[in-house]
Amino acid sequence: MGKLHAIHRCEACGSSQPRWAGRCPVCGEWNSLREELVLPHTPGSAGGGHGPSGSFAGVVPQALSEVDIEGHPGMPTGLPELDRVLAGGLLPGSATLLGGEPGTGKSTLLLQALASMAVAGRRCLLIAAEESAHQVRRRASRLGADVPGVFVADAAQLPAVQVAIAQLVPDVVVVDSIQALTNPELASPAGSVGQVRECALALASLAKVSGFALVLVGHVTKDGALAGPRALEHLVDTVLNFEGDRYLSLRSLRAVKHRFGPTGETGLFEMGERGLTGVQDPSALFLGDRLAGSSGSAVAVSMEGYRPVLVEVQALVGRPSTLPRRVVTGADPGRVGFLVPVLDQRAGATVGGSDIYVSVAGGARVTEPAADLAICLALASSCWGRPVPPDLVAVGEVGLGGEIRRVGAMAKRLAEAKRLGFERALCHSVAPTLRRALSLAFGDGSGEVFGHGYGDNCDARAAIGPGAARARAAAAGGPARAVSGPGEARAGAARGTGAAGAGGTARGAGPQLKRRRPRLSVMVNDLGAI
Ligand code: TYD
Ligand code: MG
């Protein structure tokens, strides 16, 4: 086999040049040449790069069904939230990239994972390319991660790393970080795209041949400006993003690419004095400090991967302004901007000309359109100064026409709401329009609809308890009458009063209000049935 030598390959057209140039002489693309190491082309070789070289004899196609997978089980990391995202654990021979902004806790997470895997009998190697072994030890002591079975090598050069791996023969190797590693055969500096790609490629190939699970740490800046980790995404099997505000304790871990399982699953952690702890009950955490009964607050049920999570959406509608401000935290600002005119023009909640602040409490993040309805409720609630009923969750996408759309995984969402003690859910099947949803939530004078007699004779509570069957039977007949009867007329009247921000005059309208209540309990019965 010939000696490796450096070439410069164009990322745009793939042509290779012996020397670096600002512009590719073949395709004319600027700044597209990246340094890489290749084998010289010899007859019988695959012709360079890190692809297979030498003879192909002996590669016999195998029936897929006969490929042995029993001998390649995933290795659980022992951190349930990490294993959830990895769909079981790390696979031997796989390469995983853990990306995130500096300070989010990548080193902490992986040190804890290594310690846990070492306790389970795995040989774990940490390549500390940024920190010294002393620093790692100090941190490990604080985390309780200084257990036998975790080895550390403070090496920043690729050949030294390869030697360390050959000596230890580990089950898992963590490289922290790939940007600090260099291959001395390349002239480019540490952290450059050429170095990062070359080192990652060499280690990923070694992992495949040797059968250890490789995890590379990659720092990403807020705008993804540092190209290194992005350039690696197609080289690895799994890409995990670790996110979180360094000033808040909550961290979330998502798989954006995963060859061995589903993506979209989210792991949640809290950073504390002794490192990261998995959040087992995120809904309880996010709703923990909720001031139930205050205006400008509504509860949404969002899907974090396959797990429903209840979050509190808070809104504050300020004074009318000629240049209204929109400040959004934890939700999609574009989505909020879209909902404001819908509230204005389709539902009579005039929030558009005022400063608007929307925040998802507790550092949680919702990007799903299913949170639209809760955002609208919170905004209308703040605008009118009337609280959303404390035992109500809102789930639904809001369309430009003011319609409320169905969302997926409803049964899971409602089961989670029920588990957390919520008794009513406002969604597409009870309120097909936003106007109707606001009318139901704030009622014809919300105090009467949701407060009067609710605890004594409301079929909602019975529906979840032993009287569920009776309540369901009552609700089955109730809604139709409420829609076509005088109840609907009153609901229509309520729109006017609600839109004007008045308290409404529903007092004394007991029978009609009672008839409307089962309409909300349609979903309550669903909660009861789950
Ligand atoms: P670190 O894992 O070094 O982040 P990264 O590798 O992503 O750059 O974690 C850095 C932050 O985490 C740092 O601001 C301190 C904080 N931290 C704790 O709050 N508790 C702990 O036990 C540890 C180890 C770190
Ligand atoms: Mg670090």
Side-chain angles (χ1 to χ4, degrees):
M1 195 183 286
K3 196 176 177 321
L4 289 170
H5 69 274
I7 59 157
H8 291 83
R9 194 178 298 283
C10 173
E11 283 188 335
C13 70
S15 67
S16 61
Q17 308 299 327
R19 266 174 296 282
W20 187 84
R23 189 177 191 188
C24 173
V26 177
C27 69
E29 186 71 22
W30 285 98
N31 201 20
S32 63
L33 294 187
R34 304 278 175 248
E35 192 178 23
E36 67 180 56
L37 291 176
V38 294
L39 281 170
H41 182 80
T42 52
S45 83
H50 286 276
S53 61
S55 169
F56 286 102
V59 179
V60 181
Q62 213 178 341
L64 188 58
S65 55
E66 286 168 18
V67 174
D68 174 30
I69 49 171
E70 296 304 317
H72 300 277
M75 290 182 280
T77 64
L79 306 184
E81 291 297 298
L82 178 56
D83 288 336
R84 164 197 294 279
V85 177
L86 290 170
L90 294 166
L91 271 186
S94 68
T96 301
L97 173 67
L98 175 66
E101 290 174 38
T104 38
K106 301 179 291 300
S107 306
T108 307
L109 177 70
L110 292 175
L111 195 52
Q112 288 182 241
L114 287 184
S116 157
M117 293 175 89
V119 168
R122 313 275 182 195
R123 284 167 81 81
C124 303
L125 175 60
L126 171 64
I127 305 294
E130 288 180 358
E131 292 169 276
S132 71
H134 289 104
Q135 287 170 317
V136 175
R137 169 72 208 268
R138 203 163 289 137
R139 184 200 300 242
S141 305
R142 196 146 54 85
L143 298 172
D146 48 351
V147 294
V150 178
F151 295 82
V152 62
D154 48 0
Q157 297 221 330
L158 180 64
V161 173
Q162 287 164 325
V163 169
I165 292 172
Q167 280 178 346
L168 190 69
V169 194
D171 298 305
V172 192
V173 176
V174 167
V175 179
D176 190 0
S177 69
I178 190 65
Q179 278 123 333
L181 214 58
T182 52
N183 183 344
E185 301 206 28
L186 296 180
S188 41
S192 63
V193 175
Q195 283 285 9
V196 167
R197 268 178 56 96
E198 210 44 56
C199 294
L201 211 49
L203 290 176
S205 311
L206 188 58
K208 286 216 163 39
V209 174
S210 312
F212 61 85
L214 173 70
V215 183
L216 306 171
V217 173
H219 298 295
V220 186
T221 55
K222 223 178 190 88
D223 54 359
L226 204 55
R230 294 273 172 266
L232 295 185
E233 286 184 355
H234 67 283
L235 300 181
V236 295
D237 302 300
T238 303
V239 179
L240 305 179
N241 273 359
F242 203 36
E243 293 167 7
D245 191 319
R246 60 195 303 176
Y247 302 109
L248 291 174
S249 62
L250 192 73
R251 305 281 186 277
S252 65
L253 183 72
R254 291 169 215 270
V256 289
K257 168 184 174 180
H258 194 26
R259 284 199 178 132
F260 316 114
T263 54
E265 200 48 279
T266 306
L268 291 168
F269 298 87
E270 259 193 299
M271 179 68 93
E273 273 181 22
R274 290 178 59 80
L276 292 155
T277 321
V279 177
Q280 270 149 23
D281 191 348
S283 302
L285 174 78
F286 294 141
L287 297 186
D289 298 328
R290 186 169 74 111
L291 273 180
S294 63
S295 62
S297 158
V299 176
V301 192
S302 164
M303 293 303 290
E304 285 290 337
Y306 301 95
R307 172 168 54 174
V309 176
L310 271 70
V311 293
E312 183 193 2
V313 180
Q314 296 183 324
L316 194 60
V317 179
R319 293 165 185 277
S321 155
T322 43
L323 269 177
R325 298 184 67 194
R326 304 268 189 273
V327 181
V328 180
T329 321
D332 176 6
R335 202 73 206 161
V336 175
F338 165 99
L339 294 171
V340 165
V342 178
L343 270 166
D344 266 357
Q345 294 180 29
R346 305 286 188 190
T350 46
V351 296
S354 308
D355 290 343
I356 285 175
Y357 306 87
V358 172
S359 167
V360 180
R365 232 161 224 292
V366 284
T367 45
E368 255 202 313
D372 287 356
L373 186 53
I375 295 173
C376 289
L377 282 189
L379 282 165
S381 166
S382 171
C383 175
W384 294 334
R386 295 161 71 181
V388 174
D391 61 349
L392 181 84
V393 292
V395 185
E397 177 183 348
V398 175
L400 270 181
E403 78 279 13
I404 295 178
R405 293 165 173 261
R406 245 174 265 273
V407 298
M410 204 58 191
K412 272 190 180 177
R413 295 179 204 256
L414 296 183
E416 178 70 356
K418 184 187 161 195
R419 186 182 72 79
L420 268 287
F422 287 84
E423 296 184 342
R424 292 179 281 186
L426 203 50
C427 56
H428 164 86
S429 50
V430 270
T433 65
L434 182 57
R435 187 178 283 272
R436 177 78 180 136
L438 295 188
S439 166
L440 284 171
F442 299 108
D444 311 330
S446 60
E448 287 78 8
V449 173
F450 292 98
H452 173 71
Y454 185 77
D456 310 324
N457 62 357
C458 178
D459 30 11
R461 281 171 202 265
I464 290 173
R470 192 161 24 93
R472 271 195 291 282
R481 283 198 300 277
V483 171
S484 56
E488 180 62 7
R490 285 207 60 81
R495 281 171 209 146
T497 54
T505 52
R507 209 175 290 279
Q512 287 162 356
L513 291 174
K514 269 189 182 156
R515 231 175 287 149
R516 199 164 42 249
R517 206 177 295 135
R519 202 165 154 72
L520 270 175
S521 66
V522 170
M523 294 315 300
V524 175
N525 281 332
D526 285 352
L527 287 180
I530 288 161

